[in-house]
Amino acid sequence: MTDITYRLAQKRNIVTPLPGPRSSALAQRRRAAVAAGVGSTAPVYAVDADGGVIVDADGNSFIDLGAGIAVTTVGASHPAVAAAIADQATHFTHTCFMVTPYEGYVQVAELLNTLTPGDHEKRTALFNSGAEAVENAIKVARLATGRPAVVAFDNAYHGRTNLTMALTAKSMPYKSQFGPFAPEVYRMPASYPLRDEAGLTGEEAARRAISRIETQIGAQSLAAIIIEPIQGEGGFIVPAPGFLSTLTAWAKDNGVVFIADEVQTGFARTGAWFASEHDDIVPDIVTMAKGIAGGMPLSAVTGRAELMDAVYTGGLGGTYGGNPVTCAAAIAALGVMRELDLPGRARVIETSVVSRLSALAEEVDVIGEVRGRGAMLAIEIVKPGTLEPDAALTKAIAAEALSQGVLILTCGTFGNVIRLLPPLVIGDDLLDEGITVLTDIIREKASHQ
């Protein structure tokens, strides 16, 4: 990665108790105005962000190891993205592509058709959110195959809309009491190497799922299999080698559409443009969002031309899908990713961080596993000497990190996984400092278990 000039000082600096008075005042206003069901990880309110830091309303500066849940890959205010947004906004902010189309939408589609895995002919449709992309991918698969059923997996997360809640595995806080959900969605066991029975290979885990599909659903009724190549909210679970390739081969043999949900894993995050590349698989359809547009709300579905073009005119779309300002942001963000070789940067981050976390795992007995790819890394926290999840300790580690000026996120089906998603433009020194703070906290907490 070439040198970057940052707009804000890239340093951790806590100047008030957390939350500070201005964040506390905003929290009071929030309680009177914002629905209680909308949660936030941190009690501080952001006013600025750049590179690897977030500054709150009280002047506290935090090291950002969350990137807005893998969104601000190029930083939260990259000058190329900000300039593209401003320029497009001076011309027009909206016409609706379905009314009067514009070049930006077409250009984003061309870029995605080139970037996504496979050299087959592709088509792309643009939307607003990851969940919306997933819903439309399922629509395409059902119409193109004429089949109703969809298979998702244990530990999956695909969104919060009605259909995507049905696909999502975890009940709280995503699904509880929000049903009934969309029908013809079936859940199968995934590959979770840390928690699978000893010796289970990826191919065997896939065959286990395939056997249940064939007996419980029948291939002739199955429109699509959808899976995250690395499961995100479920715990940054990297499947065992052979799992994804065995599933894709079976899907191809049976006319089943294989959908890779790359909403969190896409756009350089895992050390490749898309996580599917690590397993040498070529999905029929890829869903994307998060890192695509430098923080602007944009998502996409890219798939085989014969699948995407099977949908009748007017069957795909939406008022804001592929908004011209978000398209301009995406074009700029993708250009920055290429210019800075951010897939390569993610691999450098992996090498640096994993070596330190693995050494810590040898030292303390509360780390069940360190895993992940690129700058999508996880620490699974367990009770000492066991594989029993320790969600309380995970929460305590995250809270202490915030108090010391490092923002980290948690995830996992059992709530016991620390996930690290730094912006890929974070500087080495700042990243090193953030990891040092985190490892010191884990070491200290482990000594009291």
Side-chain angles (χ1 to χ4, degrees), residues 230-315:
I230 299 173
Q231 291 184 310
E233 295 290 326
F236 282 28
I237 303 165
V238 181
F243 180 74
L244 293 175
S245 59
T246 302
L247 283 177
T248 55
W250 179 87
K252 181 178 180 180
D253 289 344
N254 289 276
V256 174
V257 177
F258 187 91
I259 303 170
D261 182 342
E262 295 255 17
V263 167
Q264 189 164 178
T265 54
F267 301 104
R269 174 55 54 183
T270 67
W273 279 102
F274 294 94
S276 298
E277 298 171 46
H278 295 291
D279 291 273
D280 294 321
I281 63 168
V282 178
D284 298 305
I285 293 176
V286 180
T287 61
M288 297 156 277
K290 290 192 182 292
I292 191 173
M296 296 296 283
L298 181 68
S299 67
V301 178
T302 298
R304 295 185 182 277
E306 63 271 23
L307 295 174
M308 300 296 289
D309 285 346
V311 179
Y312 47 83
T313 300

Side-chain angles (χ1 to χ4, degrees), residues 73-98:
T73 302
V74 301
S77 58
H78 193 283
V81 176
I85 292 168
D87 180 67
Q88 178 56 51
T90 65
H91 294 286
F92 60 95
T93 60
H94 178 77
T95 65
C96 184
F97 190 76
M98 298 185 302

Side-chain angles (χ1 to χ4, degrees), residues 88-146:
Q88 178 56 51
T90 65
H91 294 286
F92 60 95
T93 60
H94 178 77
T95 65
C96 184
F97 190 76
M98 298 185 302
V99 178
T100 51
Y102 35 86
E103 183 181 4
Y105 189 118
V106 177
Q107 189 174 349
V108 171
E110 290 170 337
L111 288 169
L112 297 180
N113 291 347
T114 300
L115 283 173
T116 49
D119 56 6
H120 52 278
E121 189 175 1
K122 303 170 192 170
R123 301 285 187 272
T124 290
L126 302 181
F127 305 98
N128 302 290
S129 68
E132 195 176 345
V134 168
E135 291 234 1
N136 279 277
I138 298 299
K139 284 165 55 177
V140 169
R142 282 174 164 165
L143 188 149
T145 63

Side-chain angles (χ1 to χ4, degrees), residues 128-411:
N128 302 290
S129 68
E132 195 176 345
V134 168
E135 291 234 1
N136 279 277
I138 298 299
K139 284 165 55 177
V140 169
R142 282 174 164 165
L143 188 149
T145 63
R147 303 172 181 177
V150 178
V151 161
F153 288 84
D154 289 341
N155 309 304
Y157 179 85
H158 296 289
R160 294 172 180 260
T161 60
N162 187 265
L163 174 56
T164 57
M165 280 191 294
L167 297 167
T168 291
K170 190 174 181 179
S171 178
M172 283 295 291
Y174 306 119
K175 302 170 64 171
S176 180
Q177 302 181 71
F178 290 145
F181 302 117
E184 290 292 336
V185 172
Y186 300 87
R187 191 164 316 285
M188 295 296 156
S191 171
Y192 193 158
L194 179 66
R195 298 188 176 279
D196 283 339
E197 54 266 36
L200 185 73
T201 68
E203 182 176 355
E204 289 167 343
R207 291 293 173 195
R208 175 181 61 185
I210 289 166
S211 175
R212 296 187 189 184
I213 291 170
E214 291 176 337
T215 56
Q216 297 179 22
I217 306 167
Q220 71 280 1
S221 297
L222 184 59
I225 289 172
I226 183 167
I227 192 168
E228 305 149 274
I230 299 173
Q231 291 184 310
E233 295 290 326
F236 282 28
I237 303 165
V238 181
F243 180 74
L244 293 175
S245 59
T246 302
L247 283 177
T248 55
W250 179 87
K252 181 178 180 180
D253 289 344
N254 289 276
V256 174
V257 177
F258 187 91
I259 303 170
D261 182 342
E262 295 255 17
V263 167
Q264 189 164 178
T265 54
F267 301 104
R269 174 55 54 183
T270 67
W273 279 102
F274 294 94
S276 298
E277 298 171 46
H278 295 291
D279 291 273
D280 294 321
I281 63 168
V282 178
D284 298 305
I285 293 176
V286 180
T287 61
M288 297 156 277
K290 290 192 182 292
I292 191 173
M296 296 296 283
L298 181 68
S299 67
V301 178
T302 298
R304 295 185 182 277
E306 63 271 23
L307 295 174
M308 300 296 289
D309 285 346
V311 179
Y312 47 83
T313 300
L316 300 176
T319 301
Y320 294 105
N323 171 273
V325 177
T326 65
C327 285
I331 293 163
L334 292 171
V336 171
M337 292 177 205
R338 279 179 161 157
E339 177 189 351
L340 299 181
D341 183 22
L342 291 191
R345 174 60 178 163
R347 295 191 294 271
V348 171
I349 290 173
E350 177 184 354
T351 299
S352 170
V353 174
V354 168
S355 62
R356 296 188 62 187
L357 297 181
S358 296
L360 180 65
E362 294 292 324
E363 179 184 340
V364 302
D365 58 0
V366 298
I367 296 179
E369 186 177 43
V370 173
R371 58 176 178 261
R373 286 189 168 124
M376 184 176 180
L377 301 173
I379 311 165
E380 180 151 353
I381 303 297
V382 295
K383 294 186 177 178
T386 75
L387 288 181
E388 184 179 349
D390 196 334
L393 178 57
T394 307
K395 184 177 180 180
I397 291 168
E400 180 60 26
L402 181 69
S403 75
Q404 295 189 32
V406 179
L407 177 62
I408 63 173
L409 305 177
T410 62
C411 66

